[in-house]
Amino acid sequence: MTETIHISAPGRVNLIGDHTDYTGGLVMPMTLDARTTVVGQANPSQMWNLISLDEPVSLSIELPIQDPSSVLPRWGRYVAGVLFELGQLGIEVPGFTGEISTTIPIGSGLSSSAALEIAIARTALSIAHVELPDTDIALLCQRAEHIASGVPCGIMDQLCIAIGQPNAATLIDCHTLEVQHIAMPDEIEVVTRFISHRTLAGSEYSDRVADCQNIEGIIGPLRLARISDAENIADQRLSRRARHVITENQRVRDFASALSQKDFRTAGELMVASHASLANDYETSNEAMDQAVKTMMNEPGFLGARMTGGGFGGCIVGIRHRT
Ligand code: GLA
């Protein structure tokens, strides 16, 4: 009898360090309990047949994948993107018949698409009897995301999901891809709150990536830049964008050391400063998110709150004393 595969991958929430990953900066996300699960069996055909409990139309695609960006239904592009990238690496994957389910809210900025990519990649590698390092899996899923959604995302979501450990934040240097797992102190609870549905495709996300490319054309790599470099940029918009990235990288460093010293007040203040920088300098927040952050900060026990992820909607995240 053919073995039944059962593979899942978690969503993620970013504690601090947003819009830094695609310039090789620092980020500190953590995995969620919510997960996307793939259950099914390899088959001797060249077909991948998948149903998703959250989507009305099922997916049927034939290997080798030629053009993942035109696959329908659209959710299938994430699957096709991953299978295409595995093909590019010369990995021969058999057919598969299965079912996808998720407890990650879709389109809420908690990386449901990256979780789907990682779960599919691990499923495909398992039935192909091939092992790849977590970092390589994350990189191939990032390329799949670019193809599937057209969004030029960084590596944060895929790498956190591929490598993150339960109850620990994942401090990632997005230039070297070095990862440090930082246990979340027991005294602190992380709270994620949904604000609105959003998709980064068609948002200003790619404009921000383009701004950063322009900035780097002027002052060199943002990850190495100082605040004085940002101040020297004549274009005021680009100067503010640069200031966000440079100060956000420093906030990630400071947040990591505040957590390890159990200085939760400072950690919370850094989250609030991160939100202000994303709202004012980077302009990826909106009124509903700004308001939600204020409301959260007025609730008992909260030390910090901020928008999380790409922005333009999605979720906010906060930390509070565990009661
Ligand atoms: C999205 C992208 C990530 C990252 C964040 C912002 O989640 O997928 O790569 O850029 O936005 O920090």
Side-chain angles (χ1 to χ4, degrees):
M1 232 185 81
T2 325
E3 186 198 354
T4 297
I5 309 284
H6 196 287
I7 284 177
S8 72
R12 70 96 188 92
V13 63
N14 191 19
L15 295 175
I16 197 159
D18 269 313
H19 289 277
T20 51
D21 62 348
Y22 47 83
T23 50
L26 303 174
V27 296
M28 200 161 153
M30 64 186 294
T31 55
L32 298 168
D33 292 338
R35 304 181 79 84
T36 292
T37 304
V38 179
V39 180
Q41 297 178 332
N43 68 48
S45 77
Q46 292 293 96
M47 299 300 296
W48 269 62
N49 298 312
L50 290 173
I51 59 167
S52 163
L53 299 188
D54 296 276
E55 299 286 344
V57 182
S58 59
L59 174 71
S60 192
I61 40 175
E62 187 172 6
L63 301 172
I65 308 289
Q66 306 293 350
D67 180 11
S69 60
S70 64
V71 162
L72 289 172
R74 289 183 85 96
W75 67 266
R77 292 180 191 177
Y78 298 102
V79 177
V82 169
L83 295 173
F84 174 80
E85 287 298 332
L86 287 167
Q88 295 296 102
L89 296 177
I91 296 171
E92 280 187 31
V93 178
F96 184 77
T97 305
E99 182 183 280
I100 302 168
S101 60
T102 191
T103 53
I104 307 169
I106 296 172
S108 306
L110 299 177
S111 292
S112 55
S113 61
L116 174 59
E117 290 149 13
I118 299 285
I120 291 292
R122 291 207 194 283
T123 301
L125 288 166
S126 159
I127 59 176
H129 304 293
V130 173
E131 284 191 19
L132 282 185
D134 290 334
T135 306
D136 291 6
I137 295 177
L139 286 167
L140 86 85
C141 288
Q142 180 195 19
R143 295 194 294 273
E145 174 83 38
H146 291 176
I147 297 173
S149 68
V151 176
C153 69
I155 191 64
M156 168 169 75
D157 306 343
Q158 288 81 7
L159 191 52
C160 171
I161 290 169
I163 221 165
Q165 297 174 353
N167 300 320
T170 319
L171 175 59
I172 304 174
D173 178 326
C174 297
H175 180 62
T176 60
L177 302 186
E178 260 166 352
V179 169
Q180 232 178 295
H181 300 283
I182 300 183
M184 281 308 286
D186 289 340
E187 300 91 324
I188 288 297
E189 186 182 5
V190 175
V191 178
T192 303
R193 191 167 288 171
F194 172 75
I195 307 302
S196 64
H197 284 288
R198 67 106 179 94
T199 149
L200 289 181
S203 77
E204 290 178 27
Y205 184 94
S206 47
D207 299 338
R208 297 298 182 276
V209 175
D211 277 355
C212 285
Q213 282 161 354
N214 288 333
I215 292 166
E216 296 201 320
I218 303 169
I219 62 169
L222 266 164
R223 67 176 203 284
L224 305 175
R226 289 159 191 269
I227 202 71
S228 54
D229 297 320
E231 282 159 4
N232 287 335
I233 300 173
D235 181 305
Q236 285 309 294
R237 191 188 75 233
L238 294 184
S239 175
R240 284 187 290 116
R241 303 286 190 252
R243 183 167 61 188
H244 165 70
V245 177
I246 295 163
T247 56
E248 185 79 348
N249 282 330
Q250 188 57 42
R251 280 187 289 271
V252 177
R253 284 186 202 99
D254 295 345
F255 184 85
S257 72
L259 266 198
S260 65
Q261 289 160 28
K262 296 194 185 257
D263 179 357
F264 304 130
R265 224 169 60 125
T266 300
E269 284 167 6
L270 288 161
M271 290 176 83
V272 172
S274 166
H275 182 83
S277 179
L278 285 158
N280 302 325
D281 281 350
Y282 219 69
E283 296 178 278
T284 54
S285 183
N286 61 28
E287 245 181 83
M289 302 177 93
D290 294 348
Q291 192 49 52
V293 165
K294 277 192 198 131
T295 304
M296 194 177 249
M297 287 304 292
N298 283 329
E299 291 173 26
F302 273 95
L303 299 151
R306 59 187 288 280
M307 59 151 273
T308 182
F312 312 106
C315 285
I316 64 165
V317 63
I319 56 170
R320 73 174 162 209
H321 279 297
R322 205 179 276 283
T323 45

PDB file of all heavy atoms in Angstrom, residues 12 14 17-22 27 109 111 113-114 142 145 151-158 198 200 205 209 278 306-311, ligand 1:
ATOM      1  N   ARG A  12       3.472  32.625  10.447  1.00  0.00           N
ATOM      2  CA  ARG A  12       4.454  33.388  11.236  1.00  0.00           C
ATOM      3  C   ARG A  12       3.899  34.770  11.571  1.00  0.00           C
ATOM      4  O   ARG A  12       3.064  35.316  10.873  1.00  0.00           O
ATOM      5  CB  ARG A  12       5.782  33.528  10.511  1.00  0.00           C
ATOM      6  CG  ARG A  12       5.773  34.447   9.292  1.00  0.00           C
ATOM      7  CD  ARG A  12       6.241  35.863   9.590  1.00  0.00           C
ATOM      8  NE  ARG A  12       6.050  36.770   8.469  1.00  0.00           N
ATOM      9  CZ  ARG A  12       4.975  37.508   8.296  1.00  0.00           C
ATOM     10  NH1 ARG A  12       3.967  37.440   9.127  1.00  0.00           N
ATOM     11  NH2 ARG A  12       4.877  38.327   7.260  1.00  0.00           N
ATOM     12  N   ASN A  14       5.650  38.589  12.742  1.00  0.00           N
ATOM     13  CA  ASN A  14       6.947  39.248  12.927  1.00  0.00           C
ATOM     14  C   ASN A  14       6.902  40.155  14.147  1.00  0.00           C
ATOM     15  O   ASN A  14       6.078  41.056  14.231  1.00  0.00           O
ATOM     16  CB  ASN A  14       7.312  40.053  11.675  1.00  0.00           C
ATOM     17  CG  ASN A  14       8.752  40.527  11.715  1.00  0.00           C
ATOM     18  OD1 ASN A  14       9.558  39.969  12.479  1.00  0.00           O
ATOM     19  ND2 ASN A  14       9.092  41.527  10.926  1.00  0.00           N
ATOM     20  N   GLY A  17      11.233  44.295  12.917  1.00  0.00           N
ATOM     21  CA  GLY A  17      12.110  44.194  11.745  1.00  0.00           C
ATOM     22  C   GLY A  17      11.274  44.002  10.495  1.00  0.00           C
ATOM     23  O   GLY A  17      11.323  42.948   9.863  1.00  0.00           O
ATOM     24  N   ASP A  18      10.486  45.041  10.145  1.00  0.00           N
ATOM     25  CA  ASP A  18       9.709  44.910   8.899  1.00  0.00           C
ATOM     26  C   ASP A  18      10.266  45.813   7.808  1.00  0.00           C
ATOM     27  O   ASP A  18      10.786  46.890   8.063  1.00  0.00           O
ATOM     28  CB  ASP A  18       8.223  45.208   9.148  1.00  0.00           C
ATOM     29  CG  ASP A  18       7.480  43.920   9.505  1.00  0.00           C
ATOM     30  OD1 ASP A  18       7.687  42.916   8.782  1.00  0.00           O
ATOM     31  OD2 ASP A  18       6.736  43.908  10.498  1.00  0.00           O
ATOM     32  N   HIS A  19      10.140  45.295   6.589  1.00  0.00           N
ATOM     33  CA  HIS A  19      10.669  45.954   5.393  1.00  0.00           C
ATOM     34  C   HIS A  19      12.178  46.171   5.505  1.00  0.00           C
ATOM     35  O   HIS A  19      12.708  47.197   5.105  1.00  0.00           O
ATOM     36  CB  HIS A  19       9.901  47.260   5.104  1.00  0.00           C
ATOM     37  CG  HIS A  19       8.503  46.969   4.620  1.00  0.00           C
ATOM     38  ND1 HIS A  19       8.226  46.665   3.309  1.00  0.00           N
ATOM     39  CD2 HIS A  19       7.332  46.867   5.290  1.00  0.00           C
ATOM     40  CE1 HIS A  19       6.934  46.427   3.178  1.00  0.00           C
ATOM     41  NE2 HIS A  19       6.358  46.525   4.374  1.00  0.00           N
ATOM     42  N   THR A  20      12.837  45.193   6.059  1.00  0.00           N
ATOM     43  CA  THR A  20      14.304  45.189   6.118  1.00  0.00           C
ATOM     44  C   THR A  20      14.872  43.982   5.378  1.00  0.00           C
ATOM     45  O   THR A  20      16.037  43.991   4.984  1.00  0.00           O
ATOM     46  CB  THR A  20      14.793  45.116   7.582  1.00  0.00           C
ATOM     47  OG1 THR A  20      14.112  44.026   8.218  1.00  0.00           O
ATOM     48  CG2 THR A  20      14.498  46.401   8.341  1.00  0.00           C
ATOM     49  N   ASP A  21      14.052  42.930   5.206  1.00  0.00           N
ATOM     50  CA  ASP A  21      14.636  41.669   4.698  1.00  0.00           C
ATOM     51  C   ASP A  21      15.150  41.772   3.269  1.00  0.00           C
ATOM     52  O   ASP A  21      16.203  41.217   2.941  1.00  0.00           O
ATOM     53  CB  ASP A  21      13.684  40.470   4.887  1.00  0.00           C
ATOM     54  CG  ASP A  21      12.370  40.560   4.151  1.00  0.00           C
ATOM     55  OD1 ASP A  21      12.024  41.656   3.635  1.00  0.00           O
ATOM     56  OD2 ASP A  21      11.651  39.532   4.094  1.00  0.00           O
ATOM     57  N   TYR A  22      14.429  42.521   2.416  1.00  0.00           N
ATOM     58  CA  TYR A  22      14.851  42.551   1.009  1.00  0.00           C
ATOM     59  C   TYR A  22      16.042  43.468   0.760  1.00  0.00           C
ATOM     60  O   TYR A  22      16.470  43.637  -0.378  1.00  0.00           O
ATOM     61  CB  TYR A  22      13.663  42.879   0.075  1.00  0.00           C
ATOM     62  CG  TYR A  22      12.794  44.035   0.495  1.00  0.00           C
ATOM     63  CD1 TYR A  22      13.144  45.341   0.206  1.00  0.00           C
ATOM     64  CD2 TYR A  22      11.602  43.800   1.173  1.00  0.00           C
ATOM     65  CE1 TYR A  22      12.346  46.398   0.584  1.00  0.00           C
ATOM     66  CE2 TYR A  22      10.784  44.854   1.565  1.00  0.00           C
ATOM     67  CZ  TYR A  22      11.168  46.160   1.266  1.00  0.00           C
ATOM     68  OH  TYR A  22      10.357  47.204   1.653  1.00  0.00           O
ATOM     69  N   VAL A  27      15.624  40.751  10.935  1.00  0.00           N
ATOM     70  CA  VAL A  27      14.204  40.534  11.233  1.00  0.00           C
ATOM     71  C   VAL A  27      14.098  39.595  12.428  1.00  0.00           C
ATOM     72  O   VAL A  27      15.033  38.840  12.716  1.00  0.00           O
ATOM     73  CB  VAL A  27      13.438  39.917  10.035  1.00  0.00           C
ATOM     74  CG1 VAL A  27      13.421  40.863   8.840  1.00  0.00           C
ATOM     75  CG2 VAL A  27      14.025  38.568   9.625  1.00  0.00           C
ATOM     76  N   GLY A 109      -1.833  38.556   6.399  1.00  0.00           N
ATOM     77  CA  GLY A 109      -0.479  38.976   6.736  1.00  0.00           C
ATOM     78  C   GLY A 109       0.221  38.038   7.697  1.00  0.00           C
ATOM     79  O   GLY A 109       1.186  38.426   8.346  1.00  0.00           O
ATOM     80  N   SER A 111       1.372  35.023   6.610  1.00  0.00           N
ATOM     81  CA  SER A 111       2.169  34.143   5.739  1.00  0.00           C
ATOM     82  C   SER A 111       1.514  32.801   5.433  1.00  0.00           C
ATOM     83  O   SER A 111       2.187  31.762   5.417  1.00  0.00           O
ATOM     84  CB  SER A 111       3.566  33.918   6.328  1.00  0.00           C
ATOM     85  OG  SER A 111       4.291  35.093   6.285  1.00  0.00           O
ATOM     86  N   SER A 113       0.581  31.964   2.549  1.00  0.00           N
ATOM     87  CA  SER A 113       1.135  31.483   1.271  1.00  0.00           C
ATOM     88  C   SER A 113       2.510  30.844   1.478  1.00  0.00           C
ATOM     89  O   SER A 113       2.795  29.796   0.895  1.00  0.00           O
ATOM     90  CB  SER A 113       1.194  32.609   0.234  1.00  0.00           C
ATOM     91  OG  SER A 113       2.024  33.652   0.678  1.00  0.00           O
ATOM     92  N   ALA A 114       3.339  31.452   2.329  1.00  0.00           N
ATOM     93  CA  ALA A 114       4.664  30.849   2.580  1.00  0.00           C
ATOM     94  C   ALA A 114       4.514  29.492   3.268  1.00  0.00           C
ATOM     95  O   ALA A 114       5.254  28.547   2.985  1.00  0.00           O
ATOM     96  CB  ALA A 114       5.518  31.789   3.424  1.00  0.00           C
ATOM     97  N   GLN A 142      10.833  31.023  -1.691  1.00  0.00           N
ATOM     98  CA  GLN A 142      10.806  32.473  -1.949  1.00  0.00           C
ATOM     99  C   GLN A 142      10.719  32.721  -3.465  1.00  0.00           C
ATOM    100  O   GLN A 142       9.923  33.548  -3.922  1.00  0.00           O
ATOM    101  CB  GLN A 142      12.067  33.138  -1.384  1.00  0.00           C
ATOM    102  CG  GLN A 142      12.111  34.647  -1.619  1.00  0.00           C
ATOM    103  CD  GLN A 142      13.504  35.237  -1.384  1.00  0.00           C
ATOM    104  OE1 GLN A 142      14.512  34.528  -1.382  1.00  0.00           O
ATOM    105  NE2 GLN A 142      13.566  36.538  -1.181  1.00  0.00           N
ATOM    106  N   GLU A 145       7.259  32.026  -4.554  1.00  0.00           N
ATOM    107  CA  GLU A 145       6.357  33.134  -4.185  1.00  0.00           C
ATOM    108  C   GLU A 145       6.460  34.263  -5.212  1.00  0.00           C
ATOM    109  O   GLU A 145       5.449  34.836  -5.628  1.00  0.00           O
ATOM    110  CB  GLU A 145       6.712  33.631  -2.785  1.00  0.00           C
ATOM    111  CG  GLU A 145       5.962  34.861  -2.318  1.00  0.00           C
ATOM    112  CD  GLU A 145       4.587  34.575  -1.732  1.00  0.00           C
ATOM    113  OE1 GLU A 145       4.440  33.560  -1.040  1.00  0.00           O
ATOM    114  OE2 GLU A 145       3.658  35.392  -1.977  1.00  0.00           O
ATOM    115  N   VAL A 151       4.982  39.255  -6.278  1.00  0.00           N
ATOM    116  CA  VAL A 151       5.471  40.170  -5.238  1.00  0.00           C
ATOM    117  C   VAL A 151       6.946  39.861  -4.954  1.00  0.00           C
ATOM    118  O   VAL A 151       7.288  38.720  -4.650  1.00  0.00           O
ATOM    119  CB  VAL A 151       4.637  40.009  -3.929  1.00  0.00           C
ATOM    120  CG1 VAL A 151       5.206  40.882  -2.818  1.00  0.00           C
ATOM    121  CG2 VAL A 151       3.173  40.344  -4.194  1.00  0.00           C
ATOM    122  N   PRO A 152       7.822  40.878  -5.047  1.00  0.00           N
ATOM    123  CA  PRO A 152       9.266  40.639  -4.861  1.00  0.00           C
ATOM    124  C   PRO A 152       9.648  40.566  -3.383  1.00  0.00           C
ATOM    125  O   PRO A 152      10.452  41.359  -2.896  1.00  0.00           O
ATOM    126  CB  PRO A 152       9.906  41.850  -5.540  1.00  0.00           C
ATOM    127  CG  PRO A 152       8.880  42.936  -5.372  1.00  0.00           C
ATOM    128  CD  PRO A 152       7.530  42.280  -5.389  1.00  0.00           C
ATOM    129  N   CYS A 153       9.064  39.588  -2.678  1.00  0.00           N
ATOM    130  CA  CYS A 153       9.237  39.518  -1.218  1.00  0.00           C
ATOM    131  C   CYS A 153      10.668  39.144  -0.845  1.00  0.00           C
ATOM    132  O   CYS A 153      11.423  38.609  -1.656  1.00  0.00           O
ATOM    133  CB  CYS A 153       8.270  38.483  -0.640  1.00  0.00           C
ATOM    134  SG  CYS A 153       8.673  36.810  -1.095  1.00  0.00           S
ATOM    135  N   GLY A 154      11.015  39.410   0.407  1.00  0.00           N
ATOM    136  CA  GLY A 154      12.300  38.992   0.954  1.00  0.00           C
ATOM    137  C   GLY A 154      12.211  37.551   1.450  1.00  0.00           C
ATOM    138  O   GLY A 154      11.265  36.824   1.121  1.00  0.00           O
ATOM    139  N   ILE A 155      13.182  37.170   2.275  1.00  0.00           N
ATOM    140  CA  ILE A 155      13.308  35.767   2.694  1.00  0.00           C
ATOM    141  C   ILE A 155      12.678  35.497   4.065  1.00  0.00           C
ATOM    142  O   ILE A 155      12.542  34.343   4.485  1.00  0.00           O
ATOM    143  CB  ILE A 155      14.801  35.343   2.692  1.00  0.00           C
ATOM    144  CG1 ILE A 155      14.984  33.826   2.856  1.00  0.00           C
ATOM    145  CG2 ILE A 155      15.592  36.100   3.772  1.00  0.00           C
ATOM    146  CD1 ILE A 155      14.428  32.995   1.744  1.00  0.00           C
ATOM    147  N   MET A 156      12.246  36.558   4.757  1.00  0.00           N
ATOM    148  CA  MET A 156      11.824  36.373   6.154  1.00  0.00           C
ATOM    149  C   MET A 156      10.787  35.264   6.353  1.00  0.00           C
ATOM    150  O   MET A 156      10.976  34.377   7.196  1.00  0.00           O
ATOM    151  CB  MET A 156      11.239  37.684   6.706  1.00  0.00           C
ATOM    152  CG  MET A 156      10.521  37.499   8.034  1.00  0.00           C
ATOM    153  SD  MET A 156      10.102  39.025   8.844  1.00  0.00           S
ATOM    154  CE  MET A 156       8.715  39.592   7.877  1.00  0.00           C
ATOM    155  N   ASP A 157       9.687  35.323   5.598  1.00  0.00           N
ATOM    156  CA  ASP A 157       8.567  34.427   5.893  1.00  0.00           C
ATOM    157  C   ASP A 157       8.956  32.969   5.671  1.00  0.00           C
ATOM    158  O   ASP A 157       8.733  32.106   6.523  1.00  0.00           O
ATOM    159  CB  ASP A 157       7.358  34.774   5.003  1.00  0.00           C
ATOM    160  CG  ASP A 157       6.968  36.233   5.122  1.00  0.00           C
ATOM    161  OD1 ASP A 157       7.399  36.880   6.099  1.00  0.00           O
ATOM    162  OD2 ASP A 157       6.258  36.722   4.230  1.00  0.00           O
ATOM    163  N   GLN A 158       9.522  32.709   4.507  1.00  0.00           N
ATOM    164  CA  GLN A 158       9.860  31.317   4.165  1.00  0.00           C
ATOM    165  C   GLN A 158      10.934  30.763   5.104  1.00  0.00           C
ATOM    166  O   GLN A 158      10.861  29.602   5.516  1.00  0.00           O
ATOM    167  CB  GLN A 158      10.327  31.235   2.705  1.00  0.00           C
ATOM    168  CG  GLN A 158       9.214  31.421   1.674  1.00  0.00           C
ATOM    169  CD  GLN A 158       8.850  32.868   1.419  1.00  0.00           C
ATOM    170  OE1 GLN A 158       9.510  33.785   1.906  1.00  0.00           O
ATOM    171  NE2 GLN A 158       7.783  33.085   0.656  1.00  0.00           N
ATOM    172  N   ARG A 198      -5.927  41.608   3.322  1.00  0.00           N
ATOM    173  CA  ARG A 198      -5.126  42.358   2.346  1.00  0.00           C
ATOM    174  C   ARG A 198      -4.323  41.367   1.513  1.00  0.00           C
ATOM    175  O   ARG A 198      -4.091  40.237   1.891  1.00  0.00           O
ATOM    176  CB  ARG A 198      -4.202  43.340   3.050  1.00  0.00           C
ATOM    177  CG  ARG A 198      -3.094  42.666   3.872  1.00  0.00           C
ATOM    178  CD  ARG A 198      -1.785  42.806   3.183  1.00  0.00           C
ATOM    179  NE  ARG A 198      -0.677  42.220   3.900  1.00  0.00           N
ATOM    180  CZ  ARG A 198      -0.235  40.993   3.692  1.00  0.00           C
ATOM    181  NH1 ARG A 198      -0.844  40.205   2.837  1.00  0.00           N
ATOM    182  NH2 ARG A 198       0.807  40.533   4.332  1.00  0.00           N
ATOM    183  N   LEU A 200      -0.608  41.503  -0.800  1.00  0.00           N
ATOM    184  CA  LEU A 200       0.514  42.377  -1.150  1.00  0.00           C
ATOM    185  C   LEU A 200       0.610  42.577  -2.657  1.00  0.00           C
ATOM    186  O   LEU A 200       1.141  43.576  -3.120  1.00  0.00           O
ATOM    187  CB  LEU A 200       1.827  41.812  -0.601  1.00  0.00           C
ATOM    188  CG  LEU A 200       1.980  41.891   0.918  1.00  0.00           C
ATOM    189  CD1 LEU A 200       3.325  41.329   1.338  1.00  0.00           C
ATOM    190  CD2 LEU A 200       1.815  43.313   1.429  1.00  0.00           C
ATOM    191  N   TYR A 205       3.789  47.430  -1.974  1.00  0.00           N
ATOM    192  CA  TYR A 205       4.967  46.682  -1.506  1.00  0.00           C
ATOM    193  C   TYR A 205       6.120  46.793  -2.516  1.00  0.00           C
ATOM    194  O   TYR A 205       7.254  47.117  -2.163  1.00  0.00           O
ATOM    195  CB  TYR A 205       4.593  45.209  -1.281  1.00  0.00           C
ATOM    196  CG  TYR A 205       5.720  44.375  -0.715  1.00  0.00           C
ATOM    197  CD1 TYR A 205       5.842  44.168   0.658  1.00  0.00           C
ATOM    198  CD2 TYR A 205       6.676  43.788  -1.538  1.00  0.00           C
ATOM    199  CE1 TYR A 205       6.884  43.411   1.191  1.00  0.00           C
ATOM    200  CE2 TYR A 205       7.718  43.027  -1.020  1.00  0.00           C
ATOM    201  CZ  TYR A 205       7.811  42.837   0.344  1.00  0.00           C
ATOM    202  OH  TYR A 205       8.837  42.094   0.862  1.00  0.00           O
ATOM    203  N   VAL A 209      10.108  48.246  -2.424  1.00  0.00           N
ATOM    204  CA  VAL A 209      11.311  47.506  -2.839  1.00  0.00           C
ATOM    205  C   VAL A 209      12.084  48.349  -3.861  1.00  0.00           C
ATOM    206  O   VAL A 209      13.313  48.481  -3.776  1.00  0.00           O
ATOM    207  CB  VAL A 209      10.935  46.121  -3.427  1.00  0.00           C
ATOM    208  CG1 VAL A 209      12.177  45.398  -3.962  1.00  0.00           C
ATOM    209  CG2 VAL A 209      10.231  45.268  -2.363  1.00  0.00           C
ATOM    210  N   LEU A 278       7.331  52.744  10.615  1.00  0.00           N
ATOM    211  CA  LEU A 278       6.635  52.143   9.470  1.00  0.00           C
ATOM    212  C   LEU A 278       5.475  53.031   9.021  1.00  0.00           C
ATOM    213  O   LEU A 278       5.184  53.148   7.828  1.00  0.00           O
ATOM    214  CB  LEU A 278       6.123  50.739   9.831  1.00  0.00           C
ATOM    215  CG  LEU A 278       7.226  49.674   9.880  1.00  0.00           C
ATOM    216  CD1 LEU A 278       6.799  48.491  10.738  1.00  0.00           C
ATOM    217  CD2 LEU A 278       7.580  49.198   8.472  1.00  0.00           C
ATOM    218  N   ARG A 306       2.590  46.855  17.442  1.00  0.00           N
ATOM    219  CA  ARG A 306       2.981  47.394  16.132  1.00  0.00           C
ATOM    220  C   ARG A 306       2.287  46.633  15.008  1.00  0.00           C
ATOM    221  O   ARG A 306       1.777  45.540  15.237  1.00  0.00           O
ATOM    222  CB  ARG A 306       4.508  47.292  15.951  1.00  0.00           C
ATOM    223  CG  ARG A 306       5.012  45.864  16.040  1.00  0.00           C
ATOM    224  CD  ARG A 306       6.528  45.789  16.026  1.00  0.00           C
ATOM    225  NE  ARG A 306       7.047  46.089  14.711  1.00  0.00           N
ATOM    226  CZ  ARG A 306       7.080  45.220  13.696  1.00  0.00           C
ATOM    227  NH1 ARG A 306       6.642  43.983  13.823  1.00  0.00           N
ATOM    228  NH2 ARG A 306       7.584  45.576  12.549  1.00  0.00           N
ATOM    229  N   MET A 307       2.275  47.259  13.816  1.00  0.00           N
ATOM    230  CA  MET A 307       1.830  46.480  12.651  1.00  0.00           C
ATOM    231  C   MET A 307       2.862  45.385  12.422  1.00  0.00           C
ATOM    232  O   MET A 307       4.006  45.497  12.851  1.00  0.00           O
ATOM    233  CB  MET A 307       1.666  47.358  11.404  1.00  0.00           C
ATOM    234  CG  MET A 307       2.910  48.097  10.948  1.00  0.00           C
ATOM    235  SD  MET A 307       2.949  48.405   9.148  1.00  0.00           S
ATOM    236  CE  MET A 307       3.686  46.878   8.534  1.00  0.00           C
ATOM    237  N   THR A 308       2.453  44.323  11.755  1.00  0.00           N
ATOM    238  CA  THR A 308       3.397  43.225  11.526  1.00  0.00           C
ATOM    239  C   THR A 308       3.311  42.762  10.080  1.00  0.00           C
ATOM    240  O   THR A 308       2.220  42.698   9.509  1.00  0.00           O
ATOM    241  CB  THR A 308       3.142  42.056  12.501  1.00  0.00           C
ATOM    242  OG1 THR A 308       4.113  41.030  12.263  1.00  0.00           O
ATOM    243  CG2 THR A 308       1.744  41.462  12.376  1.00  0.00           C
ATOM    244  N   GLY A 309       4.473  42.489   9.489  1.00  0.00           N
ATOM    245  CA  GLY A 309       4.507  41.976   8.118  1.00  0.00           C
ATOM    246  C   GLY A 309       4.515  43.104   7.095  1.00  0.00           C
ATOM    247  O   GLY A 309       4.975  44.213   7.378  1.00  0.00           O
ATOM    248  N   GLY A 310       3.970  42.818   5.928  1.00  0.00           N
ATOM    249  CA  GLY A 310       4.046  43.750   4.810  1.00  0.00           C
ATOM    250  C   GLY A 310       3.255  45.027   5.021  1.00  0.00           C
ATOM    251  O   GLY A 310       3.579  46.078   4.480  1.00  0.00           O
ATOM    252  N   GLY A 311       2.165  44.949   5.798  1.00  0.00           N
ATOM    253  CA  GLY A 311       1.366  46.133   6.071  1.00  0.00           C
ATOM    254  C   GLY A 311       0.246  46.335   5.062  1.00  0.00           C
ATOM    255  O   GLY A 311      -0.149  45.393   4.377  1.00  0.00           O
TER     256      GLY A 311
HETATM  257  C1  GLA B   1       6.005  40.450   3.623  1.00  0.00           C
HETATM  258  C2  GLA B   1       7.126  39.826   2.801  1.00  0.00           C
HETATM  259  C3  GLA B   1       8.398  39.707   3.638  1.00  0.00           C
HETATM  260  C4  GLA B   1       8.755  41.027   4.293  1.00  0.00           C
HETATM  261  C5  GLA B   1       7.541  41.633   4.992  1.00  0.00           C
HETATM  262  C6  GLA B   1       7.824  43.013   5.533  1.00  0.00           C
HETATM  263  O1  GLA B   1       5.639  39.598   4.661  1.00  0.00           O
HETATM  264  O2  GLA B   1       6.749  38.556   2.337  1.00  0.00           O
HETATM  265  O3  GLA B   1       9.452  39.237   2.832  1.00  0.00           O
HETATM  266  O4  GLA B   1       9.310  41.922   3.385  1.00  0.00           O
HETATM  267  O5  GLA B   1       6.417  41.709   4.137  1.00  0.00           O
HETATM  268  O6  GLA B   1       8.764  42.935   6.553  1.00  0.00           O
END
